[in-house]
Amino acid sequence: MKKYHTVLTIAGSDCSGGAGIQADIKTISALGCYAASAITAVTVQNTCGVSAIHPIPAEYVKSQIEAVMTDIKPEAVKIGMINDVEIVRAIASSIKTYRPKFVVFDPVMVSTSGCKLIEDKAIEAIKNELIPLSTIITPNLKEAIVLTGDNISHAGSMIEAGRKILNYGCHSVLVKGGHLDGDDMCDVLCINGDSNPYTFTARKIDSHNTHGTGCTLSSAIATNLALGYTLQEAVNRAKEYVYKGILTGKDIHIGNGHGPLNHFHTPVPMHIFAENE
């Protein structure tokens, strides 16, 4: 029997199409996997910012996940924006029940435009209930600061933050340093049991079109894990994909704020495999 490699994204909907579920589906599809989705919230937003968030009732989030996991059985799950405690617990319960091979968690707390996207009381639930179930979490600097309580201003402090987050029980942490000062980007991957962190560096691209980059990166990591790449390979390939998306989309005008990157700069055919492989 032939099948597609499948990824489930659990995240909020972005009606402007640049982030959230919409960016996830574009990314998973562009990289050659089949995308399924469970929506955690409906947001009212565009390239200028988020003006409203309507959480989906937790039982409906859980039912969406169950419908996909019992039928399609995705190899990887990407988790994005979660607005309240009940949804955190619904997702954690589902992960424990269905045990997908890979769980990529992007702890979305603040949008690119600076809008807060999560309730304060949900943060502790994330630390205690969801992070320990994750293969990798991908916080940016602001999110890493929220998770650790530490000031993070250089690569060394990023490594310290990553190691501190590992104590919550996840397998690995990618601390994203795109907001550091300077002309270069530096992301740090810390893996539980590995004393040597991995660093990924690249020259910053001068672009206003960065809406949804975190959603896109985490979805690309999940997709590459589903395709069979190692964790380090999956992160490296995902970062290359996002970099090209920013580079090829930097001169495109979509909206009046932070526009999206170009998700379809190099689309690949859907990967098909035999179930007994």
Side-chain angles (χ1 to χ4, degrees):
M1 181 183 297
K2 294 182 179 179
K3 296 183 68 176
Y4 297 125
H5 290 283
T6 306
V7 179
L8 167 64
T9 168
I10 306 170
S13 171
D14 171 11
C15 56
S16 72
I21 285 284
Q22 287 80 353
D24 296 343
I25 292 174
K26 291 175 184 178
T27 300
I28 296 164
S29 301
L31 293 174
C33 282
Y34 181 88
S37 65
I39 297 176
T40 60
V42 175
T43 69
V44 179
Q45 66 174 293
N46 54 28
T47 63
C48 298
V50 180
S51 57
I53 300 173
H54 177 70
I56 302 298
E59 62 266 30
Y60 287 98
V61 175
K62 191 171 184 179
S63 294
Q64 291 177 80
I65 299 170
E66 180 179 358
V68 174
M69 296 301 295
T70 57
D71 182 33
I72 299 174
K73 299 178 175 62
E75 293 127 298
V77 172
K78 173 263 169 79
I79 304 168
M81 192 188 84
I82 309 170
N83 186 248
D84 61 38
V85 173
E86 289 75 18
I87 295 176
V88 172
R89 290 174 177 158
I91 296 171
S93 173
S94 298
I95 296 298
K96 290 176 182 177
T97 298
Y98 298 107
R99 299 184 178 277
K101 188 173 182 180
F102 303 107
V103 177
V104 179
F105 178 33
D106 181 20
V108 180
M109 299 175 184
V110 181
S111 69
T112 300
S113 56
C115 300
K116 187 178 178 184
L117 301 173
I118 189 171
E119 296 176 353
D120 290 337
K121 61 184 179 180
I123 296 173
E124 286 303 312
I126 284 172
K127 291 179 181 178
N128 297 326
E129 301 184 43
L130 204 51
I131 290 179
L133 301 175
S134 300
T135 307
I136 182 172
I137 71 168
T138 60
N140 61 27
L141 291 185
K142 291 179 181 179
E143 292 154 356
I145 289 170
V146 170
L147 292 172
T148 63
D150 296 337
N151 181 44
I152 306 172
S153 58
H154 53 82
S157 56
M158 290 170 63
I159 294 171
E160 293 173 6
R163 288 173 173 162
K164 191 170 184 178
I165 294 170
L166 284 177
N167 291 328
Y168 291 122
C170 55
H171 173 69
S172 60
V173 181
L174 180 69
V175 181
K176 301 176 294 188
H179 294 101
L180 288 176
D181 293 335
D183 296 327
D184 295 321
M185 295 183 294
C186 177
D187 294 354
V188 174
L189 175 64
C190 297
I191 301 175
N192 214 333
D194 191 338
S195 59
N196 297 315
Y198 299 84
T199 58
F200 303 86
T201 59
R203 198 74 171 169
K204 286 184 179 178
I205 301 169
D206 184 14
S207 174
H208 207 54
N209 294 335
T210 56
H211 183 50
T213 51
C215 304
T216 299
L217 179 66
S218 53
S219 293
I221 293 172
T223 303
N224 281 295
L225 287 172
L227 289 171
Y229 293 99
T230 67
L231 181 62
Q232 294 93 320
E233 289 171 338
V235 171
N236 190 57
R237 290 174 65 88
K239 285 189 58 61
E240 289 180 356
Y241 169 77
V242 172
Y243 188 86
K244 291 178 181 177
I246 297 173
L247 183 65
T248 60
K250 67 184 182 65
D251 298 321
I252 308 301
H253 184 75
I254 297 289
N256 297 305
H258 292 280
L261 52 85
N262 175 14
H263 290 91
F264 294 101
H265 55 80
T266 317
V268 300
M270 191 81 80
H271 291 271
I272 301 174
F273 69 103
E275 191 171 26
N276 60 358
E277 287 183 1

